[in-house]
Amino acid sequence: MDVEQNPIVMDGAVGKDEKSNTARSLSKTEAIEHSEHDLLHEENVDTVLAAKMTLINDTIDEIGFTPHHWKLFCLNGFGYAVDSLILLIQSITAGPAGMEFQPGFKTGLTIAVYVGMLVGAIFWGFSADIIGRRFAFNFSLLVSAIFTIVAGASPSWITLGLFVCLSAFGAGGNLVLDTTVFLEYLPGKQQWLLTLMAAWWGLGQLIAGILAWGYLPHYSCADASDCSRANNQGWRYIWYTAGTLVFVLSILRVTIVRLDETPKFLLTQGKDEHAVRVLQTIAKRYNRPCSLTLEHLQALGQTQNHSTTRAGLSQRLFSPREVSFHFRGLFATRRMSLSTLLVWSSWLLIGLAYPLFNVFLPTYLASRGANFGQPSAYITWRNYTLNNTSSIFGPVLAGFMCRSGWFWGRRGTMIIGAIITMVFFFCYTQVRTASENVGFTCAISFCVNVYYGTLYAYTPEVFPSAHRGTGNGAAIGFNRIMGIVSAVVAAFANTETAVPIYICAALYLLMAIIAAVFPFEPFGRRSS
């Protein structure tokens, strides 16, 4: 987003009226009382920051939803798609690459991709609260694109694992930053779009399935005893094509919208003037009202964590005290502590359940296909593509459920998604025909993403803006840790049996119970 480097217009801004003026002239006490629509208004320790955040939320609501938000919906959605794309093509290409390289540890690529995503989530997530959201938004996809392309040229299993890990490192921060950036620009009434944005995750899975369906049946060796680079190019073509796509998406990110820092992040850093300028520029570009001025924010006082009272940037980047500060902010009150622990627990559980089924789904499909007399690679990857297509529509349904609030808001949507997923998992163990196999895997993929898409949106909504990157990064980091565990489990267990499916079903039941006791419900409330 282009931000003009002109001084703040102090007398008002674009199209203000008497009602807006009154709202913007609230005292600190009045602003706190006016913050009843903000989700964490009763949990704020820094009353000045809470008052300023209320004015920022009021201003974002005043500006309303603009074409700028649609651009962010797509550009941040790219990160969702790339995260799932890298994760899935790793699982798709591990088999053909393993036939060529004959590794001693066959699930090594799964561990590599989750290690990369773990480090990426922690690095990009924590840095988002220290140096801002803009840097990761602009460069994370480019890092991923470079190593995704290079991975296709890997001469050995270890080298492939290294480049897969580095590619995942770039992609791993997107789930942290994409939800954070989009949320911090959204008006309160449109926060349900954060759930809908998870449909991009399904699109990334679909692209992975299409690439596998297109390349692997025609460019893969059939026998490990006669498998060389010359007759096994399919998995390399997948990495080359995916890397090129990610590179194009990374260029679009920095050309369509030249993103500035989010107003809420700027506010937490004491950069009130910059925050006002960002909002006034959006309002001016789309001819929307914006009554907020720098004077209104400065009249409320100075926040406790003003950047001028802390160490310089170079020191803060590597400071344990800085990281500790943001972790403590997630446990500022009893309700916030409970919320943080329950959200992280949910990510831990789905971090185990999701890979046990989705990452190892090719193994299930291949074994089931053999049982049903459909052993061909073409049928396996066709079914895989159909399954991934179904995953797109889960977040679409979840988004409209969250918007309507008919089902107890975000929490109810997660409960319904998790319970129905559990039911379909149990039903899947009774599949006896090829048609049932395809139908139930598609149904599971759809229902899983009703829950998963809502959890993606719920997580940043219930964290305070000053510590949102840290909380979100830690949540997804826990998810990646369990992904590593799932790879170890798969290395020593038989993933062709129904046992992992029963485990997944039990895990989703536990996730539904946790969702029922979440202390915060974002429906009808604004994030801080």
Side-chain angles (χ1 to χ4, degrees):
M1 178 187 67
D2 294 315
V3 176
E4 300 174 3
Q5 301 301 316
N6 58 310
I8 295 295
V9 180
M10 301 298 295
D11 59 349
V14 187
K16 70 180 178 182
D17 54 27
E18 183 178 350
K19 181 179 179 180
S20 295
N21 251 340
T22 301
R24 300 298 171 263
S25 303
L26 297 172
S27 68
K28 183 171 72 174
T29 302
E30 292 170 329
I32 291 297
E33 294 174 352
H34 185 62
S35 68
E36 59 186 16
H37 298 298
D38 294 347
L39 181 63
L40 302 179
H41 77 281
E42 296 178 350
E43 315 300 322
N44 285 294
V45 177
D46 187 342
T47 57
V48 174
L49 180 60
K52 290 185 176 182
M53 200 66 70
T54 296
L55 294 191
I56 291 294
N57 276 332
D58 287 347
T59 304
I60 292 174
D61 286 345
E62 181 187 20
I63 295 173
F65 197 80
T66 70
H68 176 72
H69 294 93
W70 281 121
K71 292 178 183 178
L72 288 178
F73 178 82
C74 295
L75 295 175
N76 286 282
F78 291 167
Y80 265 59
V82 170
D83 186 283
S84 63
L85 176 66
I86 299 303
L87 180 62
L88 268 291
I89 63 174
Q90 170 277 136
S91 68
I92 289 168
T93 60
M99 292 179 68
E100 179 179 332
F101 296 129
Q102 295 296 308
F105 192 68
K106 293 185 178 181
T107 59
L109 284 192
T110 303
I111 294 177
V113 76
Y114 274 107
V115 167
M117 288 189 168
L118 168 63
V119 177
I122 293 174
F123 175 81
W124 299 111
F126 290 7
S127 66
D129 287 336
I130 301 175
I131 63 175
R133 288 63 159 132
R134 181 182 183 182
F135 178 81
F137 182 87
N138 287 338
F139 293 104
S140 58
L141 284 190
L142 180 61
V143 171
S144 181
I146 293 172
F147 290 109
T148 300
I149 295 173
V150 174
S154 300
S156 67
W157 183 256
I158 294 177
T159 306
L160 176 60
L162 172 63
F163 290 132
V164 167
C165 183
L166 293 172
S167 173
F169 167 76
N174 282 279
L175 294 186
V176 181
L177 269 299
D178 292 333
T179 52
T180 297
V181 169
F182 191 47
L183 174 64
E184 294 188 354
Y185 277 106
L186 273 178
K189 291 183 179 180
Q190 278 77 36
Q191 283 184 195
W192 66 274
L193 286 172
L194 204 62
T195 301
L196 180 62
M197 195 170 74
W200 285 92
W201 172 272
L203 182 61
Q205 291 181 315
L206 174 60
I207 294 171
I210 291 174
L211 293 179
W213 191 13
Y215 286 128
L216 293 184
H218 307 291
Y219 303 101
S220 299
C221 52
D223 190 350
S225 62
D226 183 27
C227 191
S228 64
R229 181 165 184 164
N231 64 355
N232 195 41
Q233 289 287 319
W235 69 269
R236 297 180 187 273
Y237 293 157
I238 290 175
W239 283 104
Y240 292 145
T241 306
T244 302
L245 174 62
V246 177
F247 179 75
V248 172
L249 297 181
S250 70
I251 298 302
L252 292 177
R253 269 198 169 187
V254 296
T255 54
I256 294 180
V257 172
R258 286 182 283 175
L259 187 77
D260 206 323
E261 293 296 352
T262 67
K264 292 184 178 181
F265 171 77
L266 293 169
L267 207 63
T268 65
Q269 300 299 300
K271 299 179 180 179
D272 295 357
E273 179 178 347
H274 196 171
V276 174
R277 185 166 64 242
V278 169
L279 292 172
Q280 286 187 350
T281 300
I282 295 175
K284 181 178 180 181
R285 178 176 299 149
Y286 298 105
N287 195 28
R288 299 296 178 88
C290 178
S291 307
L292 182 68
T293 67
L294 179 60
E295 290 177 331
H296 292 141
L297 290 178
Q298 289 182 335
L300 297 175
Q302 183 172 295
T303 58
Q304 292 178 9
N305 59 327
H306 196 293
S307 59
T308 58
T309 65
R310 292 150 66 192
L313 177 61
S314 61
Q315 293 176 305
R316 287 190 283 130
L317 279 174
F318 304 100
S319 171
R321 172 183 287 185
E322 186 72 17
V323 175
S324 175
F325 166 78
H326 290 293
F327 266 108
R328 291 197 309 273
L330 300 171
F331 299 89
T333 67
R334 186 170 297 178
R335 289 182 74 201
M336 288 178 63
S337 299
L338 177 61
S339 175
T340 298
L341 292 175
L342 290 177
V343 167
W344 287 353
S345 297
S346 298
W347 281 96
L348 272 170
L349 293 173
I350 201 168
L352 179 60
Y354 187 86
L356 277 178
F357 183 74
N358 288 72
V359 173
F360 300 107
L361 185 59
T363 305
Y364 293 130
L365 291 175
S367 62
R368 295 272 177 165
N371 293 338
F372 301 139
Q374 296 179 319
S376 73
Y378 179 86
I379 294 296
T380 296
W381 296 116
R382 182 206 67 181
N383 294 348
Y384 193 67
T385 303
L386 292 174
N387 172 76
N388 289 330
T389 302
S390 303
S391 67
I392 297 175
F393 302 101
V396 175
L397 175 62
F400 285 102
M401 290 173 68
C402 291
R403 181 188 184 187
S404 66
W406 292 345
F407 304 95
W408 198 29
R410 273 51 156 185
R411 291 178 292 186
T413 302
M414 284 187 278
I415 292 169
I416 292 172
I419 290 178
I420 296 179
T421 299
M422 177 196 67
V423 172
F424 276 115
F425 268 124
F426 281 125
C427 293
Y428 186 64
T429 63
Q430 304 304 311
V431 165
R432 296 293 181 267
T433 69
S435 298
E436 290 175 351
N437 182 43
V438 176
F440 276 101
T441 55
C442 289
I444 289 172
S445 184
F446 176 88
C447 296
V448 163
N449 282 279
V450 170
Y451 173 85
Y452 217 164
T454 309
L455 181 63
Y456 272 122
Y458 180 88
T459 300
E461 284 185 297
V462 297
F463 288 136
S465 181
H467 317 293
R468 182 169 287 134
T470 301
N472 214 4
I476 296 175
F478 286 127
N479 177 273
R480 305 314 190 190
I481 290 174
M482 296 309 292
I484 298 171
V485 172
S486 72
V488 175
V489 171
F492 299 101
N494 186 358
T495 57
E496 297 181 7
T497 70
V499 174
I501 299 176
Y502 285 121
I503 295 174
C504 288
L507 291 174
Y508 278 101
L509 175 60
L510 185 54
M511 283 183 262
I513 294 172
I514 291 176
V517 296
F518 280 149
F520 297 117
E521 172 50 55
F523 177 73
R525 312 291 287 277
R526 306 180 303 191
S527 66
S528 66

